[in-house]
Amino acid sequence: MTFAGNRETIETAVKQILIALGEDPARDGLAQTPARVAENLAQMCAGVGADALQCFAKTLPVENAVAQTVAVREIAFSSLCEHHLMPFYGTVAVAYLPRHRLAGLGSVAAAIEVLAAKPQLQERFNAELVDAVQQGLQTRGVLAVVTARHGCLSDRGAKAREATLTTVAASGELTSGELRAEALTLLGFSAGEATGGEKTTNKPLRELL
């Protein structure tokens, strides 16, 4: 991925922010801050304008007439919340039912990296990932669970340091029924976790089934 933005414009904007805060952007401790922030944002937003479908340009044929569910979990990611431009980070678990094509081991992780590298909302990130896998592989169904900690929740406002947000998105044959339950189990979410319990930090899990 290549950053498509303008670093010089970012540096100028950061200097103005520092001035607005009552700081001197020329003092020793801050002199290089605009350039550092520009570099940081260039890395975190390199996915702006990128197409996650390109991550599935190379696929493998399904050899068996009836393909089994493919699942990959604990894929770490980090992104930038578009509401406060603060980071959120966590893990992604993805399951899909192949039709004719399989993805290489790194393809799903690469798509996650592309989709996370821009100002995002977790719910949209989750949905975009399902769409990318669905379109890229023409699957029978996709299910993705994203669990993340948000800086805008842990470091401001309520300052809920240990809170996590869990979201789920699905398509095709994994939107309901036994196949969905099986996929959740493969991803490490038991039926009990998905339908019961009082985990306040993971309450959305109660609605997965």
Side-chain angles (χ1 to χ4, degrees), residues 130-142:
V130 168
D131 288 343
V133 178
Q134 176 70 41
Q135 293 183 44
L137 296 175
Q138 295 297 305
T139 69
R140 292 161 49 206
V142 184

Side-chain angles (χ1 to χ4, degrees), residues 144-165:
V145 181
V146 179
T147 302
R149 297 184 185 276
H150 290 250
C152 57
L153 181 59
S154 63
D155 298 330
R156 59 172 294 281
K159 294 189 176 180
R161 304 288 187 188
E162 301 302 318
T164 60
L165 174 64

